[in-house]
Amino acid sequence: MVAYERMARAVKSLLGIDLSQYKPAQVWRRVNGFATARGLPDPDGLVAKVRQDAALKQAFLDMLTINVSEFFRNPEAWSALVGQFLKPMLTSQLSVRIWSAGCSLGYEPFTIAMLAREIAPATPVYILASDLDETILSRARKATYTEQQMAGVSPARRARFFRKMDSGWEVKPEIQALVTWRRHDLLKDPYEKPFDLICCRNVVIYFTEAAKTALYKRFADSLRPNGLLFLGATESIPNARTVGLQPNGLTFYRRP
Ligand SMILES: C[S@@+](CC[C@H](N)C(=O)[O-])C[C@H]1O[C@@H](n2cnc3c(N)ncnc32)[C@H](O)[C@@H]1O
């Protein structure tokens, strides 16, 4: 597909994203849909416009990386994580290291930070929050959310962990202090280690199987023995053992 390769080359040079590790059929469908929605004839027309239009360039990046997220996304999975893993870990270890990989606007690392403080107010917790998209990270660092974005946060948690502002809510400094933000490309950059828990949810959906396998191997290597990988509700790792992980309930994988 010559047109696809042309678009992929342009995306690499303009946005720094290597589409060779993404599933082409899905990417092509989304890029065409995006071009049509913007009134552009085809991906070539889209790329030409993206070269001149910074806002469109950002929207194109947002579309490709998909940064949709929310606090306590899939609440049942968080409840399971708390009961099976976070509680035992936070109450038995001297300190805990957690990575939210593909953290988008910060909902996930702040969800973890709130839970950690509820479970063990005094245990030192390091939460690395990383994302490919610098623009989204700079918004996450502000730690402010509109009323609409706060949908998943109960009144009790709002009162305890947020400060009400004229428009919206700000995460309190003691919760912000638990999170370290970093621009990081999961497909290219070295992985920090060790971690007790790695959350990588709804990030790799469009990656090729080969890219996912390589990434899961690297996550396994970054986990402490007995550490946990937490995936999105629709994600799973077939043949988890071949990447060095062991299924542990729905969407959880443990490093033996
Ligand atoms: C749908 S959001 C998921 C946010 C959160 N983990 C959740 O489940 O709600 C996907 C995020 O992954 C990021 N992302 C996509 N590709 C990435 C890569 N190669 N490296 C790091 N982050 C990436 C996107 O920028 C986006 O913010």
Side-chain angles (χ1 to χ4, degrees):
M1 234 191 343
V2 180
Y4 184 84
E5 275 148 26
R6 203 162 47 235
M7 182 276 301
R9 270 200 304 276
V11 162
K12 189 157 189 184
S13 76
L14 286 167
L15 305 174
I17 296 180
D18 179 5
L19 287 179
S20 68
Q21 306 206 55
Y22 288 69
K23 291 175 187 162
Q26 274 94 332
V27 171
W28 196 230
R29 180 167 41 77
R30 285 167 47 225
V31 169
N32 275 284
F34 183 81
T36 308
R38 300 289 165 139
L40 297 158
D42 53 30
D44 285 332
L46 171 64
V47 165
K49 191 93 197 283
V50 161
R51 288 186 198 284
Q52 304 150 1
D53 182 336
L56 185 68
K57 184 174 166 184
Q58 183 59 43
F60 187 38
L61 176 66
D62 287 347
M63 186 279 297
L64 282 174
T65 56
I66 314 174
N67 47 40
V68 176
S69 188
E70 60 191 330
F71 289 111
F72 298 94
R73 184 175 195 172
N74 308 116
E76 59 300 333
W78 287 103
S79 302
L81 183 79
V82 167
Q84 292 170 28
F85 193 75
L86 277 181
K87 242 184 211 154
M89 183 179 68
L90 282 157
T91 50
S92 67
Q93 291 187 196
L94 292 179
S95 65
V96 168
R97 291 171 52 87
I98 298 172
W99 181 12
S100 168
C103 66
S104 184
L105 280 176
Y107 301 95
E108 189 174 273
F110 286 138
T111 295
I112 299 164
M114 286 187 260
L115 291 171
R117 278 302 162 255
E118 284 173 1
I119 296 166
T123 304
V125 179
Y126 166 81
I127 302 168
L128 173 64
S130 69
D131 202 282
L132 168 76
D133 185 345
E134 184 56 66
T135 310
I136 212 97
L137 271 181
S138 61
R139 285 172 59 197
R141 279 191 193 98
K142 293 201 173 95
T144 54
Y145 298 92
T146 62
E147 186 63 43
Q148 211 182 1
Q149 291 172 318
M150 292 288 286
V153 187
S154 67
R157 284 186 173 134
R158 289 179 192 211
R160 179 164 172 194
F161 300 120
F162 290 81
R163 190 173 67 82
K164 180 87 182 84
M165 306 185 304
D166 289 343
S167 65
W169 299 79
E170 182 181 37
V171 179
K172 283 193 178 162
E174 58 268 32
I175 293 296
Q176 288 194 44
L178 303 183
V179 179
T180 300
W181 306 99
R182 183 164 308 148
R183 197 220 159 256
H184 179 273
D185 185 345
L186 287 162
L187 294 170
K188 284 203 287 229
D189 297 326
Y191 286 18
E192 191 177 315
K193 63 170 148 178
F195 288 99
D196 300 289
L197 171 66
I198 298 175
C199 305
C200 185
R201 309 175 66 223
N202 311 296
V203 176
V204 305
I205 312 167
Y206 298 109
F207 290 5
T208 61
E209 293 311 315
K212 282 194 229 183
T213 302
L215 176 136
Y216 291 138
K217 274 193 184 136
R218 297 179 74 192
F219 280 150
D221 184 54
S222 284
L223 281 171
R224 286 198 173 117
N226 242 355
L228 201 77
L229 174 63
F230 179 20
L231 303 183
T234 59
E235 298 171 285
S236 62
I237 311 178
N239 306 322
R241 282 184 182 79
T242 59
V243 298
L245 293 167
Q246 203 172 292
N248 195 218
L250 229 60
T251 70
F252 299 123
Y253 292 86
R254 199 178 276 273
R255 177 174 172 180

